[in-house]
Structures are given as structure tokens and as C-alpha cells.
Amino acid sequence: LDTSSRMAEGDNWVFDSLVGFLRGPVWNVPILTFIEHKSLVFEPEQDEQNEEEYKKIHDDYKNLVDFMLGSYMEDIGITPQQFEEACGQGTGNVKKQFQHGLFEQVWA
């Protein structure tokens, strides 16, 4: 095995831990609460009228995700680079088929 293959195998725990985190209540409760509280703004007949508010909600969502992921990375002691590599594992292998929906919340 070359060095990159050994490093990838050693970082599988990061991906597995990330999947566990994204499935758990520490992630889901704040995300679902945010979505529930902000969803009332999204009325089909008012799309253009609320464009500025949609952008603010999206920015708030990104801030929430950044904060939660930053806290998660700090808690388990990984770097942003290791996190990106773990996300790359989720997009580049068989796990993609059943984890894609999980990562959509992060990529938003």
C-alpha cells in the first residue's frame, strides 16, 4: 500500500464518526428546529417578494452548520482538511448511495 492509501484507511474512523454525528440528535435537533421555525417564510406565491429574506435564512443556516461542524471537529480533534477528506470519502465510494442525503444538509 502506498502512503495515501494507508492514510485513507486510517481516516475511515473520521468518516464513520461524521456519519454517526450527522445521524445523531446533537446534529438533527438544531437543524430540524431551524428548518421548522424558518419554513413558514417559504410560501409558493411569494417567491420573488421574499428573496432577501431567503438569503438571510440561508446565511443563518450556513452559520449554524459552520458552528456545529466546527464544534464537532474540535470535540473529536480533527482538522478541517481531515473533515474535507472524510466528506470526499462520502462522495467517492459505495457509501455515497445511502449517505448522500445525510451530507446534503452539510453542503447546503
Side-chain angles (χ1 to χ4, degrees):
L1 291 176
D2 63 13
T3 305
S4 62
S5 295
R6 281 194 301 258
M7 283 178 44
E9 285 180 10
D11 286 340
N12 281 343
W13 72 269
V14 175
F15 178 80
D16 293 340
S17 174
L18 178 58
V19 169
F21 173 68
L22 294 175
R23 285 184 171 164
V26 171
W27 173 264
N28 280 301
V29 169
I31 293 294
L32 294 176
T33 300
F34 180 91
I35 291 169
E36 184 178 313
H37 287 144
K38 302 295 182 172
S39 66
L40 297 176
V41 172
F42 297 94
E43 294 291 329
E45 61 273 353
Q46 297 180 3
D47 281 346
E48 292 177 20
Q49 296 173 356
N50 290 330
E51 215 168 293
E52 196 170 307
E53 191 161 1
Y54 293 167
K55 182 172 175 5
K56 182 189 179 323
I57 290 170
H58 185 246
D59 289 342
D60 290 346
Y61 179 79
K62 290 189 301 186
N63 290 334
L64 174 63
V65 168
D66 287 346
F67 174 77
M68 291 174 55
L69 292 176
S71 297
Y72 162 76
M73 288 186 288
E74 189 177 307
D75 287 349
I76 68 167
I78 63 169
T79 66
Q81 181 180 356
Q82 286 174 300
F83 176 80
E84 286 180 32
E85 289 170 4
C87 287
Q89 282 183 322
T91 60
N93 61 24
V94 177
K95 294 178 182 176
K96 175 183 176 184
Q97 294 173 351
F98 62 92
Q99 303 300 348
H100 184 72
L102 212 52
F103 284 91
E104 283 181 341
Q105 293 175 340
V106 175
W107 293 325

Short mmCIF file of all heavy atoms in Angstrom, two decimals, residues 38-104:
data_model
loop_
_atom_site.label_atom_id
_atom_site.label_comp_id
_atom_site.label_asym_id
_atom_site.label_seq_id
_atom_site.Cartn_x
_atom_site.Cartn_y
_atom_site.Cartn_z
N LYS A 38 -38.10 28.29 10.38
CA LYS A 38 -37.89 29.18 9.23
C LYS A 38 -38.74 28.82 8.02
O LYS A 38 -38.82 29.60 7.08
CB LYS A 38 -36.40 29.18 8.82
CG LYS A 38 -35.45 29.59 9.92
CD LYS A 38 -35.65 31.03 10.32
CE LYS A 38 -34.65 31.41 11.39
NZ LYS A 38 -34.66 32.83 11.70
N SER A 39 -39.37 27.67 8.02
CA SER A 39 -40.08 27.20 6.82
C SER A 39 -41.34 28.00 6.51
O SER A 39 -41.80 28.00 5.37
CB SER A 39 -40.43 25.72 6.95
OG SER A 39 -41.37 25.53 7.99
N LEU A 40 -41.89 28.69 7.47
CA LEU A 40 -43.13 29.44 7.25
C LEU A 40 -42.96 30.55 6.21
O LEU A 40 -43.93 30.95 5.56
CB LEU A 40 -43.62 30.04 8.57
CG LEU A 40 -44.00 29.02 9.65
CD1 LEU A 40 -44.38 29.74 10.94
CD2 LEU A 40 -45.13 28.12 9.18
N VAL A 41 -41.75 31.03 6.04
CA VAL A 41 -41.47 32.11 5.09
C VAL A 41 -41.61 31.64 3.65
O VAL A 41 -41.90 32.43 2.76
CB VAL A 41 -40.03 32.64 5.33
CG1 VAL A 41 -39.61 33.62 4.25
CG2 VAL A 41 -39.93 33.25 6.70
N PHE A 42 -41.44 30.36 3.41
CA PHE A 42 -41.38 29.82 2.06
C PHE A 42 -42.77 29.50 1.51
O PHE A 42 -43.17 28.36 1.40
CB PHE A 42 -40.47 28.59 2.01
CG PHE A 42 -39.05 28.93 2.36
CD1 PHE A 42 -38.59 28.78 3.65
CD2 PHE A 42 -38.18 29.41 1.38
CE1 PHE A 42 -37.28 29.10 3.97
CE2 PHE A 42 -36.88 29.73 1.70
CZ PHE A 42 -36.43 29.58 2.99
N GLU A 43 -43.49 30.54 1.15
CA GLU A 43 -44.81 30.41 0.54
C GLU A 43 -44.63 30.44 -0.97
O GLU A 43 -44.00 31.35 -1.49
CB GLU A 43 -45.72 31.54 0.99
CG GLU A 43 -46.07 31.52 2.46
CD GLU A 43 -46.97 30.36 2.85
OE1 GLU A 43 -47.77 29.91 2.01
OE2 GLU A 43 -46.84 29.88 3.99
N PRO A 44 -45.22 29.49 -1.69
CA PRO A 44 -45.02 29.41 -3.15
C PRO A 44 -45.38 30.69 -3.90
O PRO A 44 -44.69 31.08 -4.83
CB PRO A 44 -45.93 28.27 -3.58
CG PRO A 44 -46.21 27.49 -2.36
CD PRO A 44 -46.07 28.42 -1.19
N GLU A 45 -46.42 31.37 -3.51
CA GLU A 45 -46.85 32.54 -4.26
C GLU A 45 -46.05 33.80 -3.94
O GLU A 45 -46.25 34.83 -4.54
CB GLU A 45 -48.35 32.81 -4.06
CG GLU A 45 -48.77 33.10 -2.63
CD GLU A 45 -49.07 31.84 -1.82
OE1 GLU A 45 -49.09 30.74 -2.39
OE2 GLU A 45 -49.29 31.97 -0.62
N GLN A 46 -45.11 33.72 -3.01
CA GLN A 46 -44.35 34.90 -2.61
C GLN A 46 -42.85 34.75 -2.87
O GLN A 46 -42.06 35.44 -2.25
CB GLN A 46 -44.57 35.19 -1.13
CG GLN A 46 -46.00 35.52 -0.77
CD GLN A 46 -46.16 35.80 0.71
OE1 GLN A 46 -45.21 35.80 1.46
NE2 GLN A 46 -47.39 36.05 1.12
N ASP A 47 -42.46 33.89 -3.78
CA ASP A 47 -41.04 33.62 -4.02
C ASP A 47 -40.21 34.88 -4.24
O ASP A 47 -39.19 35.08 -3.61
CB ASP A 47 -40.85 32.67 -5.20
CG ASP A 47 -41.10 31.23 -4.81
OD1 ASP A 47 -41.16 30.95 -3.60
OD2 ASP A 47 -41.23 30.39 -5.72
N GLU A 48 -40.63 35.73 -5.16
CA GLU A 48 -39.84 36.91 -5.51
C GLU A 48 -39.85 37.94 -4.40
O GLU A 48 -38.87 38.65 -4.18
CB GLU A 48 -40.33 37.51 -6.81
CG GLU A 48 -40.06 36.61 -8.00
CD GLU A 48 -40.61 37.19 -9.29
OE1 GLU A 48 -40.86 38.41 -9.35
OE2 GLU A 48 -40.80 36.39 -10.22
N GLN A 49 -40.94 38.05 -3.69
CA GLN A 49 -41.07 39.04 -2.62
C GLN A 49 -40.13 38.76 -1.46
O GLN A 49 -39.69 39.67 -0.77
CB GLN A 49 -42.50 39.09 -2.11
CG GLN A 49 -43.50 39.54 -3.14
CD GLN A 49 -44.93 39.40 -2.63
OE1 GLN A 49 -45.16 38.90 -1.53
NE2 GLN A 49 -45.90 39.83 -3.43
N ASN A 50 -39.81 37.51 -1.23
CA ASN A 50 -39.01 37.13 -0.07
C ASN A 50 -37.57 36.79 -0.38
O ASN A 50 -36.89 36.21 0.45
CB ASN A 50 -39.67 35.94 0.64
CG ASN A 50 -40.97 36.32 1.31
OD1 ASN A 50 -41.14 37.45 1.74
ND2 ASN A 50 -41.88 35.39 1.39
N GLU A 51 -37.09 37.14 -1.56
CA GLU A 51 -35.74 36.74 -1.97
C GLU A 51 -34.67 37.18 -0.97
O GLU A 51 -33.78 36.42 -0.63
CB GLU A 51 -35.43 37.32 -3.35
CG GLU A 51 -34.58 36.39 -4.17
CD GLU A 51 -34.52 36.84 -5.61
OE1 GLU A 51 -35.56 36.81 -6.30
OE2 GLU A 51 -33.42 37.24 -6.01
N GLU A 52 -34.78 38.41 -0.46
CA GLU A 52 -33.81 38.91 0.50
C GLU A 52 -33.89 38.12 1.82
O GLU A 52 -32.87 37.78 2.41
CB GLU A 52 -34.06 40.40 0.76
CG GLU A 52 -32.88 41.09 1.43
CD GLU A 52 -33.08 42.59 1.45
OE1 GLU A 52 -33.33 43.18 0.39
OE2 GLU A 52 -32.96 43.15 2.57
N GLU A 53 -35.09 37.81 2.23
CA GLU A 53 -35.27 37.04 3.46
C GLU A 53 -34.76 35.61 3.28
O GLU A 53 -34.17 35.03 4.18
CB GLU A 53 -36.73 37.03 3.90
CG GLU A 53 -36.89 36.47 5.30
CD GLU A 53 -38.21 36.87 5.94
OE1 GLU A 53 -39.02 37.57 5.30
OE2 GLU A 53 -38.42 36.46 7.08
N TYR A 54 -34.95 35.03 2.08
CA TYR A 54 -34.42 33.69 1.80
C TYR A 54 -32.91 33.67 1.94
O TYR A 54 -32.33 32.75 2.51
CB TYR A 54 -34.78 33.25 0.38
CG TYR A 54 -36.25 33.02 0.11
CD1 TYR A 54 -36.70 32.88 -1.19
CD2 TYR A 54 -37.18 32.94 1.14
CE1 TYR A 54 -38.04 32.67 -1.47
CE2 TYR A 54 -38.52 32.73 0.87
CZ TYR A 54 -38.95 32.59 -0.42
OH TYR A 54 -40.28 32.38 -0.70
N LYS A 55 -32.26 34.72 1.42
CA LYS A 55 -30.80 34.79 1.50
C LYS A 55 -30.36 34.89 2.97
O LYS A 55 -29.41 34.24 3.37
CB LYS A 55 -30.27 35.98 0.72
CG LYS A 55 -28.75 36.06 0.75
CD LYS A 55 -28.20 37.10 -0.15
CE LYS A 55 -26.71 37.28 -0.07
NZ LYS A 55 -25.94 36.41 0.75
N LYS A 56 -31.07 35.68 3.77
CA LYS A 56 -30.72 35.81 5.19
C LYS A 56 -30.89 34.47 5.90
O LYS A 56 -30.05 34.06 6.69
CB LYS A 56 -31.58 36.88 5.86
CG LYS A 56 -31.20 37.07 7.33
CD LYS A 56 -32.16 37.96 8.06
CE LYS A 56 -31.83 38.15 9.51
NZ LYS A 56 -31.29 37.02 10.23
N ILE A 57 -31.98 33.77 5.60
CA ILE A 57 -32.20 32.45 6.22
C ILE A 57 -31.10 31.48 5.81
O ILE A 57 -30.58 30.74 6.64
CB ILE A 57 -33.60 31.92 5.86
CG1 ILE A 57 -34.67 32.75 6.56
CG2 ILE A 57 -33.74 30.44 6.23
CD1 ILE A 57 -36.09 32.48 6.10
N HIS A 58 -30.72 31.50 4.54
CA HIS A 58 -29.64 30.62 4.08
C HIS A 58 -28.33 30.97 4.78
O HIS A 58 -27.59 30.08 5.19
CB HIS A 58 -29.49 30.70 2.56
CG HIS A 58 -28.50 29.73 2.02
ND1 HIS A 58 -27.33 30.12 1.44
CD2 HIS A 58 -28.50 28.37 2.01
CE1 HIS A 58 -26.65 29.05 1.08
NE2 HIS A 58 -27.32 27.98 1.42
N ASP A 59 -28.04 32.25 4.93
CA ASP A 59 -26.82 32.66 5.65
C ASP A 59 -26.87 32.21 7.11
O ASP A 59 -25.87 31.73 7.64
CB ASP A 59 -26.63 34.18 5.58
CG ASP A 59 -26.23 34.66 4.19
OD1 ASP A 59 -25.76 33.83 3.36
OD2 ASP A 59 -26.39 35.87 3.91
N ASP A 60 -28.03 32.34 7.74
CA ASP A 60 -28.18 31.87 9.13
C ASP A 60 -27.96 30.36 9.21
O ASP A 60 -27.34 29.86 10.14
CB ASP A 60 -29.57 32.22 9.68
CG ASP A 60 -29.76 33.71 9.91
OD1 ASP A 60 -28.76 34.47 9.90
OD2 ASP A 60 -30.93 34.13 10.09
N TYR A 61 -28.49 29.64 8.22
CA TYR A 61 -28.33 28.19 8.18
C TYR A 61 -26.85 27.83 8.03
O TYR A 61 -26.34 26.96 8.73
CB TYR A 61 -29.15 27.60 7.04
CG TYR A 61 -29.02 26.10 6.93
CD1 TYR A 61 -29.75 25.26 7.78
CD2 TYR A 61 -28.17 25.51 6.00
CE1 TYR A 61 -29.63 23.89 7.69
CE2 TYR A 61 -28.05 24.13 5.91
CZ TYR A 61 -28.78 23.33 6.76
OH TYR A 61 -28.65 21.97 6.67
N LYS A 62 -26.16 28.51 7.11
CA LYS A 62 -24.73 28.25 6.92
C LYS A 62 -23.95 28.51 8.21
O LYS A 62 -23.05 27.75 8.56
CB LYS A 62 -24.16 29.09 5.77
CG LYS A 62 -24.65 28.66 4.41
CD LYS A 62 -23.94 29.34 3.27
CE LYS A 62 -24.05 30.84 3.30
NZ LYS A 62 -23.48 31.49 2.12
N ASN A 63 -24.30 29.59 8.92
CA ASN A 63 -23.64 29.90 10.19
C ASN A 63 -23.88 28.80 11.23
O ASN A 63 -22.97 28.42 11.96
CB ASN A 63 -24.08 31.26 10.73
CG ASN A 63 -23.56 32.41 9.90
OD1 ASN A 63 -22.53 32.30 9.23
ND2 ASN A 63 -24.27 33.52 9.93
N LEU A 64 -25.11 28.31 11.30
CA LEU A 64 -25.44 27.23 12.23
C LEU A 64 -24.62 25.98 11.89
O LEU A 64 -24.02 25.36 12.77
CB LEU A 64 -26.94 26.91 12.17
CG LEU A 64 -27.42 25.70 12.98
CD1 LEU A 64 -27.18 25.91 14.47
CD2 LEU A 64 -28.89 25.42 12.70
N VAL A 65 -24.60 25.61 10.61
CA VAL A 65 -23.84 24.43 10.17
C VAL A 65 -22.35 24.61 10.46
O VAL A 65 -21.70 23.71 10.99
CB VAL A 65 -24.10 24.13 8.68
CG1 VAL A 65 -23.12 23.10 8.14
CG2 VAL A 65 -25.53 23.65 8.48
N ASP A 66 -21.80 25.77 10.13
CA ASP A 66 -20.38 26.04 10.39
C ASP A 66 -20.06 25.92 11.86
O ASP A 66 -19.05 25.31 12.25
CB ASP A 66 -19.97 27.43 9.89
CG ASP A 66 -19.87 27.52 8.38
OD1 ASP A 66 -19.85 26.45 7.71
OD2 ASP A 66 -19.82 28.66 7.87
N PHE A 67 -20.91 26.49 12.70
CA PHE A 67 -20.68 26.42 14.14
C PHE A 67 -20.73 24.98 14.64
O PHE A 67 -19.86 24.54 15.39
CB PHE A 67 -21.73 27.27 14.90
CG PHE A 67 -21.64 27.12 16.38
CD1 PHE A 67 -20.64 27.76 17.10
CD2 PHE A 67 -22.54 26.32 17.06
CE1 PHE A 67 -20.54 27.61 18.49
CE2 PHE A 67 -22.46 26.17 18.43
CZ PHE A 67 -21.45 26.81 19.15
N MET A 68 -21.75 24.24 14.21
CA MET A 68 -21.91 22.87 14.69
C MET A 68 -20.77 21.97 14.19
O MET A 68 -20.24 21.16 14.94
CB MET A 68 -23.27 22.31 14.27
CG MET A 68 -24.40 23.01 15.02
SD MET A 68 -26.04 22.53 14.48
CE MET A 68 -26.00 20.77 14.65
N LEU A 69 -20.39 22.13 12.93
CA LEU A 69 -19.28 21.32 12.40
C LEU A 69 -17.96 21.71 13.03
O LEU A 69 -17.12 20.84 13.31
CB LEU A 69 -19.21 21.43 10.88
CG LEU A 69 -20.36 20.79 10.11
CD1 LEU A 69 -20.22 21.06 8.62
CD2 LEU A 69 -20.45 19.29 10.39
N GLY A 70 -17.77 23.00 13.27
CA GLY A 70 -16.54 23.45 13.95
C GLY A 70 -16.44 22.86 15.34
O GLY A 70 -15.37 22.40 15.76
N SER A 71 -17.54 22.86 16.07
CA SER A 71 -17.56 22.27 17.42
C SER A 71 -17.30 20.77 17.36
O SER A 71 -16.56 20.23 18.18
CB SER A 71 -18.91 22.52 18.09
OG SER A 71 -19.13 23.90 18.27
N TYR A 72 -17.90 20.11 16.38
CA TYR A 72 -17.70 18.66 16.21
C TYR A 72 -16.22 18.35 15.93
O TYR A 72 -15.64 17.47 16.55
CB TYR A 72 -18.58 18.16 15.06
CG TYR A 72 -18.17 16.81 14.51
CD1 TYR A 72 -18.45 15.64 15.21
CD2 TYR A 72 -17.49 16.72 13.30
CE1 TYR A 72 -18.06 14.42 14.71
CE2 TYR A 72 -17.11 15.50 12.79
CZ TYR A 72 -17.38 14.35 13.50
OH TYR A 72 -16.99 13.14 13.00
N MET A 73 -15.62 19.10 15.00
CA MET A 73 -14.21 18.86 14.66
C MET A 73 -13.32 19.09 15.88
O MET A 73 -12.38 18.33 16.13
CB MET A 73 -13.77 19.77 13.51
CG MET A 73 -14.35 19.35 12.17
SD MET A 73 -13.71 20.29 10.77
CE MET A 73 -14.49 21.87 11.01
N GLU A 74 -13.62 20.13 16.64
CA GLU A 74 -12.85 20.41 17.85
C GLU A 74 -13.01 19.29 18.87
O GLU A 74 -12.04 18.85 19.48
CB GLU A 74 -13.31 21.74 18.43
CG GLU A 74 -12.46 22.26 19.57
CD GLU A 74 -12.93 23.62 20.05
OE1 GLU A 74 -13.06 24.53 19.21
OE2 GLU A 74 -13.19 23.75 21.26
N ASP A 75 -14.24 18.82 19.05
CA ASP A 75 -14.52 17.76 20.02
C ASP A 75 -13.77 16.47 19.72
O ASP A 75 -13.29 15.80 20.64
CB ASP A 75 -16.02 17.46 20.11
CG ASP A 75 -16.81 18.55 20.81
OD1 ASP A 75 -16.19 19.45 21.42
OD2 ASP A 75 -18.06 18.51 20.74
N ILE A 76 -13.69 16.10 18.44
CA ILE A 76 -13.02 14.83 18.12
C ILE A 76 -11.56 15.02 17.72
O ILE A 76 -10.86 14.05 17.47
CB ILE A 76 -13.78 14.00 17.06
CG1 ILE A 76 -13.75 14.66 15.69
CG2 ILE A 76 -15.20 13.70 17.51
CD1 ILE A 76 -14.20 13.72 14.58
N GLY A 77 -11.13 16.28 17.66
CA GLY A 77 -9.72 16.56 17.41
C GLY A 77 -9.26 16.34 15.98
O GLY A 77 -8.20 15.76 15.75
N ILE A 78 -10.07 16.79 15.01
CA ILE A 78 -9.65 16.67 13.62
C ILE A 78 -9.49 18.06 13.00
O ILE A 78 -10.07 19.03 13.49
CB ILE A 78 -10.63 15.83 12.76
CG1 ILE A 78 -12.01 16.47 12.68
CG2 ILE A 78 -10.70 14.40 13.27
CD1 ILE A 78 -12.92 15.85 11.64
N THR A 79 -8.74 18.12 11.94
CA THR A 79 -8.52 19.36 11.22
C THR A 79 -9.58 19.54 10.14
O THR A 79 -10.22 18.55 9.72
CB THR A 79 -7.13 19.35 10.54
OG1 THR A 79 -7.13 18.33 9.53
CG2 THR A 79 -6.02 19.11 11.56
N PRO A 80 -9.75 20.76 9.64
CA PRO A 80 -10.66 20.96 8.51
C PRO A 80 -10.27 20.10 7.30
O PRO A 80 -11.13 19.62 6.57
CB PRO A 80 -10.54 22.45 8.21
CG PRO A 80 -10.20 23.06 9.53
CD PRO A 80 -9.30 22.04 10.19
N GLN A 81 -8.97 19.89 7.10
CA GLN A 81 -8.52 19.05 5.99
C GLN A 81 -9.00 17.61 6.17
O GLN A 81 -9.48 16.99 5.22
CB GLN A 81 -7.01 19.08 5.86
CG GLN A 81 -6.50 18.25 4.70
CD GLN A 81 -4.99 18.28 4.57
OE1 GLN A 81 -4.30 18.98 5.29
NE2 GLN A 81 -4.47 17.51 3.62
N GLN A 82 -8.87 17.07 7.38
CA GLN A 82 -9.37 15.71 7.63
C GLN A 82 -10.88 15.64 7.42
O GLN A 82 -11.39 14.66 6.90
CB GLN A 82 -9.03 15.27 9.06
CG GLN A 82 -7.58 14.94 9.27
CD GLN A 82 -7.30 14.66 10.73
OE1 GLN A 82 -7.52 15.51 11.59
NE2 GLN A 82 -6.82 13.46 11.01
N PHE A 83 -11.59 16.69 7.81
CA PHE A 83 -13.03 16.74 7.62
C PHE A 83 -13.37 16.71 6.13
O PHE A 83 -14.23 15.95 5.69
CB PHE A 83 -13.61 17.99 8.28
CG PHE A 83 -15.08 18.16 8.03
CD1 PHE A 83 -15.99 17.44 8.77
CD2 PHE A 83 -15.53 19.01 7.05
CE1 PHE A 83 -17.36 17.57 8.53
CE2 PHE A 83 -16.89 19.16 6.80
CZ PHE A 83 -17.80 18.44 7.55
N GLU A 84 -12.67 17.54 5.34
CA GLU A 84 -12.91 17.57 3.89
C GLU A 84 -12.62 16.22 3.25
O GLU A 84 -13.35 15.77 2.37
CB GLU A 84 -12.05 18.64 3.23
CG GLU A 84 -12.54 20.05 3.49
CD GLU A 84 -11.68 21.10 2.82
OE1 GLU A 84 -11.11 20.83 1.75
OE2 GLU A 84 -11.57 22.19 3.39
N GLU A 85 -11.55 15.57 3.71
CA GLU A 85 -11.23 14.25 3.17
C GLU A 85 -12.31 13.24 3.53
O GLU A 85 -12.66 12.38 2.71
CB GLU A 85 -9.86 13.80 3.68
CG GLU A 85 -8.71 14.59 3.06
CD GLU A 85 -7.37 14.34 3.72
OE1 GLU A 85 -7.29 13.48 4.64
OE2 GLU A 85 -6.41 15.01 3.34
N ALA A 86 -12.84 13.33 4.74
CA ALA A 86 -13.93 12.42 5.15
C ALA A 86 -15.16 12.66 4.29
O ALA A 86 -15.82 11.71 3.86
CB ALA A 86 -14.25 12.61 6.63
N CYS A 87 -15.47 13.92 4.01
CA CYS A 87 -16.61 14.22 3.13
C CYS A 87 -16.34 13.69 1.73
O CYS A 87 -17.25 13.20 1.06
CB CYS A 87 -16.87 15.71 3.08
SG CYS A 87 -17.59 16.37 4.59
N GLY A 88 -15.10 13.76 1.29
CA GLY A 88 -14.72 13.21 0.00
C GLY A 88 -14.93 11.72 -0.05
O GLY A 88 -15.35 11.16 -1.08
N GLN A 89 -14.67 11.04 1.06
CA GLN A 89 -14.93 9.60 1.12
C GLN A 89 -16.41 9.34 0.90
O GLN A 89 -16.79 8.38 0.24
CB GLN A 89 -14.54 9.03 2.49
CG GLN A 89 -13.07 8.81 2.68
CD GLN A 89 -12.82 8.18 4.05
OE1 GLN A 89 -13.47 8.52 5.04
NE2 GLN A 89 -11.88 7.27 4.09
N GLY A 90 -17.24 10.20 1.46
CA GLY A 90 -18.68 10.02 1.33
C GLY A 90 -19.19 10.23 -0.07
O GLY A 90 -20.23 9.72 -0.44
N THR A 91 -18.45 10.98 -0.90
CA THR A 91 -18.91 11.23 -2.25
C THR A 91 -18.27 10.28 -3.25
O THR A 91 -18.74 10.16 -4.37
CB THR A 91 -18.60 12.67 -2.71
OG1 THR A 91 -17.19 12.88 -2.66
CG2 THR A 91 -19.31 13.67 -1.83
N GLY A 92 -17.21 9.60 -2.87
CA GLY A 92 -16.46 8.85 -3.86
C GLY A 92 -16.52 7.35 -3.74
O GLY A 92 -15.72 6.66 -4.36
N ASN A 93 -17.41 6.80 -2.96
CA ASN A 93 -17.45 5.34 -2.83
C ASN A 93 -18.88 4.83 -2.72
O ASN A 93 -19.83 5.58 -2.86
CB ASN A 93 -16.61 4.89 -1.62
CG ASN A 93 -17.12 5.46 -0.32
OD1 ASN A 93 -18.28 5.80 -0.20
ND2 ASN A 93 -16.26 5.58 0.66
N VAL A 94 -19.01 3.56 -2.45
CA VAL A 94 -20.34 2.94 -2.37
C VAL A 94 -21.20 3.58 -1.30
O VAL A 94 -22.43 3.66 -1.43
CB VAL A 94 -20.19 1.42 -2.10
CG1 VAL A 94 -21.54 0.76 -1.95
CG2 VAL A 94 -19.39 0.78 -3.21
N LYS A 95 -20.58 4.09 -0.25
CA LYS A 95 -21.35 4.70 0.83
C LYS A 95 -22.16 5.88 0.31
O LYS A 95 -23.13 6.28 0.93
CB LYS A 95 -20.41 5.15 1.95
CG LYS A 95 -19.73 4.00 2.65
CD LYS A 95 -18.79 4.49 3.72
CE LYS A 95 -18.09 3.32 4.39
NZ LYS A 95 -17.11 3.73 5.36
N LYS A 96 -21.78 6.43 -0.82
CA LYS A 96 -22.48 7.59 -1.40
C LYS A 96 -23.96 7.31 -1.55
O LYS A 96 -24.79 8.18 -1.30
CB LYS A 96 -21.86 7.93 -2.76
CG LYS A 96 -22.58 9.03 -3.49
CD LYS A 96 -21.95 9.25 -4.83
CE LYS A 96 -22.72 10.27 -5.63
NZ LYS A 96 -22.21 10.43 -6.96
N GLN A 97 -24.31 6.12 -1.98
CA GLN A 97 -25.70 5.81 -2.27
C GLN A 97 -26.62 5.98 -1.07
O GLN A 97 -27.73 6.45 -1.20
CB GLN A 97 -25.82 4.40 -2.82
CG GLN A 97 -25.13 4.25 -4.16
CD GLN A 97 -25.09 2.81 -4.62
OE1 GLN A 97 -25.42 1.90 -3.88
NE2 GLN A 97 -24.68 2.60 -5.86
N PHE A 98 -26.14 5.62 0.12
CA PHE A 98 -27.04 5.75 1.26
C PHE A 98 -26.67 6.88 2.20
O PHE A 98 -27.36 7.13 3.16
CB PHE A 98 -27.15 4.42 2.03
CG PHE A 98 -25.87 3.92 2.64
CD1 PHE A 98 -25.53 4.25 3.93
CD2 PHE A 98 -25.01 3.11 1.91
CE1 PHE A 98 -24.36 3.79 4.49
CE2 PHE A 98 -23.85 2.64 2.48
CZ PHE A 98 -23.52 2.99 3.76
N GLN A 99 -25.60 7.61 1.93
CA GLN A 99 -25.21 8.72 2.78
C GLN A 99 -25.44 10.07 2.12
O GLN A 99 -25.33 11.09 2.75
CB GLN A 99 -23.71 8.62 3.15
CG GLN A 99 -23.31 7.34 3.82
CD GLN A 99 -24.01 7.08 5.14
OE1 GLN A 99 -24.68 7.95 5.69
NE2 GLN A 99 -23.90 5.89 5.64
N HIS A 100 -25.75 10.08 0.82
CA HIS A 100 -25.87 11.34 0.09
C HIS A 100 -26.85 12.30 0.77
O HIS A 100 -26.54 13.47 0.95
CB HIS A 100 -26.27 11.08 -1.36
CG HIS A 100 -26.31 12.32 -2.18
ND1 HIS A 100 -25.17 12.98 -2.56
CD2 HIS A 100 -27.35 13.04 -2.66
CE1 HIS A 100 -25.51 14.06 -3.26
NE2 HIS A 100 -26.82 14.10 -3.33
N GLY A 101 -28.00 11.81 1.15
CA GLY A 101 -28.99 12.66 1.81
C GLY A 101 -28.48 13.23 3.12
O GLY A 101 -28.79 14.36 3.48
N LEU A 102 -27.67 12.47 3.81
CA LEU A 102 -27.08 12.91 5.06
C LEU A 102 -26.17 14.11 4.84
O LEU A 102 -26.20 15.07 5.59
CB LEU A 102 -26.26 11.74 5.63
CG LEU A 102 -26.12 11.56 7.11
CD1 LEU A 102 -27.47 11.55 7.81
CD2 LEU A 102 -25.40 10.25 7.39
N PHE A 103 -25.38 14.07 3.78
CA PHE A 103 -24.42 15.13 3.51
C PHE A 103 -25.05 16.35 2.84
O PHE A 103 -24.45 17.42 2.85
CB PHE A 103 -23.26 14.61 2.66
CG PHE A 103 -22.30 13.77 3.46
CD1 PHE A 103 -22.48 12.40 3.54
CD2 PHE A 103 -21.24 14.34 4.12
CE1 PHE A 103 -21.61 11.63 4.29
CE2 PHE A 103 -20.37 13.57 4.86
CZ PHE A 103 -20.54 12.21 4.95
N GLU A 104 -26.26 16.23 2.31
CA GLU A 104 -26.90 17.37 1.68
C GLU A 104 -27.10 18.52 2.67
O GLU A 104 -27.01 19.68 2.31
CB GLU A 104 -28.24 16.99 1.08
CG GLU A 104 -28.10 16.25 -0.23
CD GLU A 104 -29.43 15.88 -0.84
OE1 GLU A 104 -30.46 15.86 -0.13
OE2 GLU A 104 -29.44 15.61 -2.05
#
